[in-house]
Amino acid sequence: MHSDKKLNLLQLTVIVTGNMMGPGLFLMPSNLAAIGSVAILGWVLTAVGAMILALMFARLGFLYPGNSGLYTFSHQGLGRFAGFQVVYGYWFSIWTGNVAAALAATGYLSYFFPALHDPFHGCLAAIGLIWLLSLFNSSGLRVIGWFQVVTTSCMLAPVLLILGFGWMKADPSRLMEATNVSGGSLFDAITDAASLTLWTFIGLESACNASVVSENPRRNVPIATLLGTGVAAAAYILCTSMVMMLVPNEMLQETSAPLSLAAKTLFGDLAGSLVSGCAFIACIGSLNGWIMMQGLVARMAAGDHLFPRIFARVNRHQAPVFGLFIAAILMSGMLFLTLSPTLNSQFQTMALLCVFGTLLTYVYSVASALVILRRSSFETEYRRGLYLLAFMALIYCFWAALGAGKEVLYYGAVAMLFSAVLYGWTQQQELAVQEGIEPPPDNNPDSASKDDMSGSRMMGDAGGYQ
Amino acid sequence: MTVSQAKLSLPQLTLVVIGNVLGPGLFLLPANLAALGSISLIGWLFTALFALVMALLFARLGMIRPDRCSLYALSCDGIGRLAGFQVVYGYWFGIWASNVAGAVATVGYLSWFFPSLSNPVTGCITAVGIIWLLTMVNMTNLRFIGLFQSMTTGLTLIPVSCLALFGWWKFDPELLQQAYNVTEDSDLRAIISAASLTLWTFLGMEAACNAASAAKNPKRDVPLATLIGTVITAVIYLACTTVVMGLVPNDVLQSSSAPMALAVEALLGTTAGTIVSLIAVIACLGSLNSWILTQGLIARTAARDGLFPAFFARLNKNNVPAQGHMLTALLVSLFLIVTVEPQLNEQFEKAALVCVFVSLISYVYALSGSFVVLRQLHMSEERYRIMALIISISIFYCFMAAIGTGADVLCYGVIAVLFSVVLFACSGAGNGGGNWMLSDK
């Protein structure tokens, strides 16, 4: 992504799509089935919201090229504390999202081991996965290149299978039978679906660093952003609709492996098992990447004196082992705290928490965009267009935040309040170190910052922080 | 809240502290606490302890940096401009949420005379009417009414202390034991809920530090006055609520909108109950009036410093920020209509909890900022550690109380916080322009 050769429109579109596509889709059909087929409408609206946001970040990318995106925006626009809260929100969204991904992996594992259907056993399995991957990430072993190819194919294969052959046995009347089974009003159902489906678009902010590598960025970046988001959204929405047309609503609501169920309906048991296997591998691959990422984000934040220094401490394999373990403890605790009657509802809570953390970073970034725009030297027309985008993005963000629901906002409020404490504590720690009251950290700061550079490059590839 | 030029002695300082903390919060609270059971007294005890710790902490900060020890200054200096803005915004928001609670309490005691006011619709209309009446009063030259505040504080003390002293005469401990925990939740939950709710009555305890510059012998007197003042208030509150709960059966208390009057009636007969209702109405009106005045002033200062939109600072011919007053009255009316509940008590509780949550945000910001601010003062490491420990305990309490305000309040609160970021970006302060540093109260 950082090569000297500039990318053309097609390549850019592929990158945007690739950044967005993840295993977010895998458990979604079950959760949306609990709302009804009207949820698809919510998904479409979220796709529009995601396009607005991505477009906005892409256009603003010209202002601070090559920096760590949303953090820089907020820092420049609203001050250091806002910048910190964005990093904190991002970090929060990563580890809560990881919990959701671990639950999705467990859901597909339960296709082979039905005992995992029990929420408590499932929870234990998810904790096991998280610790296993955290240990793996701190051992200095790195995933080799071909594994990335395997996990990406494992992610794409079930989707393509269902998209390609689903129409053979699809029954559109299934969509009509269960339009809104949520028990709430139509508007509430759409709102709920809109919040939840935003989980699948996370990574859209990576659009803001596309301008550096693109040829003719002013024309290509917005088009690629729209196209890329559109392709990802279309794949998601078509696949989910297909699953909803293949599997009866009640069965879909109960299952923790909706894609396997759809494949089983199409081609029998073997296909179901294969899809489950693929989905499990895809989830694990993505989880592994994001666990590494969450360690790196915290480490980089600690390097910038935004997070406590402990997050920057590395072991002899240069892995931020304390940061990884702190997050693993938080994730395990959260799994116990949100223990729900079914795996799906717990997955939903965690995915929504991740959405809340992301929305926080979006609101801060869009708000700082307002400030930055006032100072910028853009021509009036361009600026006016951006103001309009910002306005629409804010409306979308608040709507989606309200849709996250009481329980999620409740945890979100506590997490947000805690950010001030963490920041205050970190700042006094820095002052103490400057005055020589506390000993400087073990690591040589120079080497740490060098690693951070490589870290941020990795982040660019994973498609988040930048 | 104003402090005169002459230097204050210890008893005077103590009175300032009591006057700041003691408000009409007590008048309706026993009914809400009765809905939890007598276990709420334990929650109240925790809140009192916390209030004491906070008040002492702020008194101490007031001595170390007398000019910049308000919640706003601590957040701004320690955490940053955004936090400072959110504290001002929250303070203003908290005052008008508190005015909603005050208006509801007034209507509650008015319903002693006009029972038809217990109906939520007529009650809500009356509350809106009271708000507009007082707003109009504040926009004219008749602001001498603001002077009533000191008088109404005295008026509040009469029935309250009478009840706390003589109520034991007919006190029935059985009533307390029967209704220990009437919620369906665990004891811990009930205590936490009570702790959040009762915090409303202690809001303003941090104001002790404002008096530091006016004290004759601040080093000795300010912490002492804070200590004595908070303890006296806490004792009055606790004794009074205990007595009310021991005089009136739990189910009657729960559905009452004039609990103090009921308790006095049980003690001394109907006439006494009527007198207490009258006093309560006057006290509530007086405090409501002074808070409307303060809220206008805060918004005006904030607007002058570029934190709030300019029209909050626009004055009418009587030198009053009339437009700001009108807008706030509109917001309060809206809030009253939106939160309308079948029972006045419940509406009161909602408004009080919103106010508590908003204040808790300010406290958490200011406490977190204190970590940094204290570090900048180059105190010895040992003293810093002790202060940091006290701050950490206070923060822990704040989180408990925040959780206790309940999922409803928390989720609207977090949306409001997110929205304040957008407001900050739109205000002059976010642009880095304007004289955004608020002059201290």
Side-chain angles (χ1 to χ4, degrees):
Chain A
M1 247 176 110
H2 287 255
S3 65
D4 289 323
K5 209 168 153 258
K6 298 277 180 182
L7 303 174
N8 63 25
L9 184 59
L10 184 69
Q11 288 165 318
L12 219 56
T13 310
V14 171
I15 285 177
V16 173
T17 312
N19 275 335
M20 233 174 271
M21 290 280 268
L25 172 70
F26 287 168
L27 219 45
M28 219 40 96
S30 293
N31 291 95
L32 296 184
I35 297 173
S37 57
V38 72
I40 291 170
L41 209 60
W43 205 329
V44 172
L45 286 174
T46 287
V48 175
M51 277 182 197
I52 293 171
L53 280 163
L55 206 56
M56 164 119 208
F57 294 137
R59 292 205 161 185
L60 282 171
F62 301 119
L63 287 175
Y64 299 105
N67 267 316
S68 33
L70 301 190
Y71 163 64
T72 316
F73 278 156
S74 311
H75 189 176
Q76 295 288 334
L78 299 176
R80 194 151 182 268
F81 178 54
F84 158 77
Q85 279 189 310
V86 164
V87 176
Y88 176 82
Y90 186 58
W91 176 74
F92 178 81
S93 78
I94 295 178
W95 68 257
T96 46
N98 282 348
V99 177
L103 285 169
T106 313
Y108 279 89
L109 207 56
S110 75
Y111 192 83
F112 304 108
F113 308 103
L116 295 177
H117 274 304
D118 175 74
F120 187 68
H121 291 159
C123 190
L124 288 182
I127 290 176
L129 283 177
I130 285 168
W131 281 95
L132 204 68
L133 291 175
S134 297
L135 281 174
F136 177 77
N137 267 294
S138 43
S139 69
L141 296 173
R142 284 280 165 272
V143 170
I144 9 181
W146 61 262
F147 188 70
Q148 202 69 43
V149 180
V150 169
T151 55
T152 309
S153 336
C154 279
M155 188 199 75
L156 284 175
V159 178
L160 292 178
L161 182 81
I162 287 168
L163 280 181
F165 302 99
W167 50 268
M168 286 174 7
K169 285 190 183 171
D171 178 6
S173 70
R174 291 220 166 97
L175 286 183
M176 291 295 118
E177 277 161 18
T179 44
N180 179 9
V181 293
S182 67
S185 72
L186 198 66
F187 181 72
D188 285 344
I190 294 177
T191 309
D192 289 350
S195 302
L196 189 58
T197 48
L198 185 59
W199 195 60
T200 57
F201 289 104
I202 283 168
L204 63 88
E205 66 275 11
S206 63
C208 69
N209 62 349
S211 63
V212 192
V213 289
S214 154
E215 50 181 46
N216 191 5
R218 274 212 165 186
R219 189 189 76 100
N220 283 356
V221 169
I223 298 177
T225 310
L226 285 181
L227 279 178
T229 317
V231 169
Y236 283 153
I237 293 171
L238 284 177
C239 184
T240 307
S241 317
M242 203 65 93
V243 173
M244 282 182 169
M245 286 189 277
L246 286 168
V247 186
N249 184 276
E250 313 84 65
M251 276 172 76
L252 200 53
Q253 281 195 39
E254 274 166 26
T255 180
S256 320
L259 295 191
S260 318
L261 212 58
K264 196 175 155 190
T265 324
L266 276 173
F267 299 111
D269 275 333
L270 183 65
S273 304
L274 274 177
V275 166
S276 296
C278 279
F280 179 72
I281 293 171
C283 286
I284 291 295
S286 144
L287 188 57
N288 183 55
W290 283 103
I291 281 181
M292 179 179 77
M293 179 81 154
Q294 141 227 303
L296 285 174
V297 168
R299 183 179 167 193
M300 203 161 104
D304 282 350
H305 311 314
L306 293 170
F307 272 27
R309 280 168 183 267
I310 190 164
F311 285 97
R313 275 168 68 172
V314 293
N315 63 7
R316 65 199 156 86
H317 304 297
Q318 294 297 308
V321 58
F322 288 97
L324 286 171
F325 281 4
I326 289 172
I329 292 168
L330 283 172
M331 288 190 267
S332 315
M334 210 59 207
L335 272 166
F336 280 119
L337 213 64
T338 57
L339 200 60
S340 310
T342 65
L343 210 63
N344 289 351
S345 58
Q346 190 174 15
F347 164 81
Q348 182 165 342
T349 308
M350 293 314 299
L352 282 173
L353 263 176
C354 171
V355 164
F356 175 79
T358 315
L359 280 173
L360 189 145
T361 64
Y362 292 166
V363 168
Y364 274 72
S365 312
V366 177
S368 27
L370 294 176
V371 177
I372 291 169
L373 274 179
R374 244 179 296 171
R375 295 193 211 129
S376 69
S377 54
F378 285 141
E379 54 265 43
T380 325
E381 200 136 308
Y382 194 74
R383 193 185 306 193
R384 221 174 264 158
L386 274 168
Y387 273 131
L388 187 68
L389 275 182
F391 182 66
M392 291 194 295
L394 281 177
I395 290 180
Y396 172 76
C397 285
F398 278 98
W399 180 56
L402 278 170
K406 246 181 222 175
E407 192 193 356
V408 171
L409 288 177
Y410 175 86
Y411 288 123
V414 175
M416 208 170 163
L417 209 53
F418 187 71
S419 73
V421 181
L422 191 68
Y423 185 72
W425 185 255
T426 312
Q427 297 319 299
Q428 74 79 20
Q429 210 181 25
E430 279 317 310
L431 281 174
V433 171
Q434 276 168 26
E435 288 174 13
I437 299 167
E438 274 184 25
D442 314 340
N443 294 330
N444 184 356
D446 292 334
S447 74
S449 65
K450 239 177 255 158
D451 282 336
D452 286 342
M453 299 278 285
S454 63
S456 71
R457 205 171 309 137
M458 270 185 266
M459 280 172 203
D461 296 339
Y465 200 46
Q466 290 237 342
Chain B
M1 284 196 84
T2 47
V3 177
S4 65
Q5 293 295 334
K7 293 283 178 182
L8 300 173
S9 65
L10 180 61
Q12 284 169 315
L13 267 178
T14 312
L15 274 180
V16 169
V17 174
I18 295 179
N20 266 325
V21 178
L22 203 69
L26 183 59
F27 284 123
L28 216 46
L29 219 42
N32 298 101
L33 295 180
L36 297 169
S38 55
I39 194 175
S40 56
L41 293 173
I42 302 174
W44 203 322
L45 205 62
F46 275 115
T47 308
L49 273 177
F50 164 71
L52 196 62
V53 171
M54 282 282 277
L56 280 177
L57 191 66
F58 279 97
R60 183 112 199 107
L61 284 166
M63 274 182 298
I64 306 176
R65 20 169 23 228
D67 50 332
R68 294 190 66 73
C69 71
S70 65
L71 295 181
Y72 167 76
L74 287 172
S75 316
C76 215
D77 297 352
I79 306 280
R81 286 190 307 163
L82 174 62
F85 173 83
Q86 285 177 328
V87 166
V88 177
Y89 169 79
Y91 190 50
W92 175 75
F93 188 80
I95 290 179
W96 65 259
S98 175
N99 281 349
V100 170
V104 173
T106 317
V107 174
Y109 277 87
L110 271 177
S111 71
W112 182 270
F113 305 102
F114 311 102
S116 65
L117 292 180
S118 305
N119 176 306
V121 178
T122 46
C124 181
I125 293 171
T126 317
V128 172
I130 289 171
I131 291 288
W132 280 98
L133 189 75
L134 291 177
T135 305
M136 291 301 166
V137 167
N138 268 291
M139 288 197 307
T140 59
N141 262 332
L142 293 170
R143 291 206 287 154
F144 64 86
I145 291 176
L147 295 176
F148 271 149
Q149 223 256 319
S150 45
M151 205 180 87
T152 52
T153 307
L155 268 179
T156 314
L157 272 172
I158 299 169
V160 170
S161 39
C162 282
L163 207 55
L165 284 176
F166 305 114
W168 305 99
W169 177 40
K170 279 195 182 173
F171 182 76
D172 181 6
E174 278 278 292
L175 287 177
L176 285 182
Q177 279 161 16
Q178 275 165 11
Y180 177 64
N181 178 4
V182 294
T183 63
E184 279 148 20
D185 292 320
S186 68
D187 285 359
L188 185 68
R189 257 267 33 118
I191 291 176
I192 291 177
S193 301
S196 311
L197 200 54
T198 48
L199 191 59
W200 190 59
T201 58
F202 284 104
L203 295 181
M205 68 243 179
E206 74 281 359
C209 71
N210 294 338
S213 52
K216 224 181 258 167
N217 182 4
K219 279 236 146 121
R220 187 191 65 122
D221 287 355
V222 171
L224 217 55
T226 311
L227 194 77
I228 300 171
T230 316
V231 167
I232 290 178
T233 331
V235 168
I236 292 178
Y237 278 161
L238 264 170
C240 201
T241 315
T242 315
V243 166
V244 172
M245 284 184 173
L247 286 172
V248 186
N250 183 278
D251 46 332
V252 180
L253 200 55
Q254 276 196 39
S255 56
S256 158
S257 15
M260 297 289 256
L262 264 185
V264 173
E265 192 190 21
L267 196 64
L268 299 169
T270 317
T271 327
T274 310
I275 294 174
V276 168
S277 291
L278 196 66
I279 291 179
V281 169
I282 296 174
C284 286
L285 282 177
S287 126
L288 206 53
N289 183 57
S290 82
W291 278 114
I292 287 178
L293 180 78
T294 318
Q295 157 206 290
L297 287 177
I298 288 169
R300 184 182 153 191
T301 323
R304 221 172 35 203
D305 295 346
L307 285 172
F308 276 23
F311 67 83
F312 277 107
R314 223 165 280 154
L315 304 178
N316 69 2
K317 60 180 159 45
N318 293 323
N319 261 343
V320 184
Q323 291 177 4
H325 270 308
M326 298 281 269
L327 180 78
T328 324
L330 215 64
L331 286 173
V332 172
S333 314
L334 217 78
F335 196 130
L336 272 166
I337 294 164
V338 170
T339 58
V340 75
E341 291 272 344
Q343 278 218 327
L344 277 177
N345 292 343
E346 284 165 33
Q347 187 176 18
F348 168 81
E349 185 171 323
K350 231 186 233 174
L353 285 177
V354 168
C355 180
V356 165
F357 179 68
V358 170
S359 311
L360 282 171
I361 296 178
S362 306
Y363 286 148
V364 169
Y365 277 3
L367 287 168
S368 310
S370 313
F371 281 138
V372 185
V373 167
L374 286 173
R375 201 40 115 185
Q376 287 164 343
L377 292 172
H378 306 286
M379 52 169 59
S380 75
E381 185 58 16
E382 242 152 67
R383 275 182 61 198
Y384 182 82
R385 288 228 172 106
I386 294 170
M387 291 295 264
L389 184 69
I390 297 172
I391 294 172
S392 308
I393 294 170
S394 305
I395 290 178
F396 180 74
Y397 178 84
C398 286
F399 273 90
M400 282 291 114
I403 290 170
T405 56
D408 275 316
V409 175
L410 275 179
C411 62
Y412 289 112
V414 76
I415 298 285
V417 172
L418 275 185
F419 190 67
S420 74
V421 178
V422 179
L423 283 183
F424 178 68
C426 295
S427 73
N431 206 14
N435 173 24
W436 60 272
M437 291 280 274
L438 254 188
S439 46
D440 252 5
K441 277 188 296 166

